[in-house]
Amino acid sequence: MNVLSERGGRTRARIVEAARELFHSNGVRATSIDQILEASGTGKSQFYHYFGSKEDIVHEVLRFYLEIIQSGRAPVNVNIESWNDLERFFYDHIDGIRVFDCRRSCPIGSIGNELASDNEDIRRDVKLVFDYMRDKIALFFENMKAEGEIKKTSDPESMADFCIATVQGALLLAKVNRDSNAAENAVAHAVQYLKSYSE
């Protein structure tokens, strides 16, 4: 990679990082391209060199989230191999919003809540991230079922759906309450319920 392309890559990454932070703190609709430019220290010509529209940058932000989850670099681990890992999956989400005094929810869920009803491409992007997480959790339950660790009547995919829905609901509740207690109670009961499938 030459010096110019390295510099361009850094500029592009700076724009995506600024957009990611602003989308998470303010929401996508409330964030203007000018705000992204100011936060990233870039100009319009640079922005439009890499992105054709704000929708393009939303896509890149969601792709960033998917990439860090797939690579294991995300704050939340989706490579679940034990009940402890599953509990950590839940509580890592809650730890993540405590950093912001429960004033933010899941960055991926927030984009989905805001845009998925009127933008099919963004809906698919959000679904792709959630599907990846869901499939990894379902694999854990499938392995547990194959090893006779949970009931033969268990439905791993439904159990994984339950995990994703619980996390998203718990994070929204924490944001609304500005407190994580109710979210912690919800995930504690969710784990207890899931463990009830154990043989």
Side-chain angles (χ1 to χ4, degrees), residues 1 3 38 50 63 72 85 91 95 112 141 144-145 147 150-152 158 163 169 177 192:
M1 182 181 285
V3 173
E38 182 179 356
Y50 298 108
R63 192 171 81 167
D85 287 346
Y91 287 105
D95 289 345
F141 290 123
M144 293 284 281
K145 185 175 179 178
E147 293 167 8
I150 59 175
K151 296 174 183 176
K152 292 179 181 178
S158 295
C163 291
N177 290 338
Q192 184 178 24

Side-chain angles (χ1 to χ4, degrees), residues 65-102:
Y65 286 127
L66 180 59
E67 286 175 356
I68 65 168
I69 291 169
Q70 289 175 330
S71 68
R73 294 182 290 120
V76 175
N77 176 33
V78 296
N79 294 307
I80 313 295
E81 297 180 355
S82 68
W83 287 113
N84 285 340
D85 287 346
L86 185 64
E87 287 190 48
R88 194 67 260 158
F89 166 82
F90 284 115
Y91 287 105
D92 280 347
H93 278 89
I94 295 175
D95 289 345
I97 62 167
R98 282 204 198 100
V99 173
F100 303 104
D101 296 321
C102 298

Side-chain angles (χ1 to χ4, degrees), residues 12-190:
R12 190 178 190 281
R14 209 163 62 242
I15 294 170
V16 172
E17 174 60 24
R20 185 173 70 85
E21 170 62 21
L22 287 166
F23 293 162
H24 194 201
S25 61
N26 303 332
V28 175
R29 287 196 180 98
T31 298
S32 68
I33 290 177
D34 285 342
Q35 287 173 312
I36 296 171
L37 298 180
E38 182 179 356
S40 62
T42 55
K44 282 192 177 180
S45 61
Q46 289 172 303
F47 180 91
Y48 286 110
H49 177 72
Y50 298 108
F51 309 103
S53 65
K54 192 163 90 169
E55 182 178 316
D56 287 347
I57 193 80
V58 175
H59 168 76
E60 286 302 312
V61 165
L62 289 168
R63 192 171 81 167
F64 167 83
Y65 286 127
L66 180 59
E67 286 175 356
I68 65 168
I69 291 169
Q70 289 175 330
S71 68
R73 294 182 290 120
V76 175
N77 176 33
V78 296
N79 294 307
I80 313 295
E81 297 180 355
S82 68
W83 287 113
N84 285 340
D85 287 346
L86 185 64
E87 287 190 48
R88 194 67 260 158
F89 166 82
F90 284 115
Y91 287 105
D92 280 347
H93 278 89
I94 295 175
D95 289 345
I97 62 167
R98 282 204 198 100
V99 173
F100 303 104
D101 296 321
C102 298
R103 293 181 179 274
R104 301 185 188 184
S105 189
C106 169
I108 302 155
S110 295
I111 293 173
N113 284 333
E114 189 176 0
L115 300 179
S117 63
D118 53 24
N119 189 308
E120 183 62 18
D121 290 336
I122 298 301
R123 184 195 70 78
R124 282 196 297 265
D125 285 345
V126 172
K127 183 177 183 299
L128 195 62
V129 181
F130 283 146
D131 282 352
Y132 180 81
M133 297 171 71
R134 173 187 179 270
D135 290 347
K136 297 293 281 186
I137 298 169
L139 180 61
F140 164 67
F141 290 123
E142 286 167 8
N143 290 337
M144 293 284 281
K145 185 175 179 178
E147 293 167 8
E149 298 292 328
I150 59 175
K151 296 174 183 176
K152 292 179 181 178
T153 55
S154 302
D155 182 344
E157 292 187 359
S158 295
M159 293 168 77
D161 284 336
F162 174 75
C163 291
I164 299 296
T166 298
V167 163
Q168 290 301 309
L171 296 184
L172 178 59
L173 194 58
K175 182 180 177 182
V176 169
N177 290 338
R178 294 286 193 267
D179 184 275
S180 64
N181 286 337
E184 291 173 35
N185 291 336
V187 300
H189 283 287

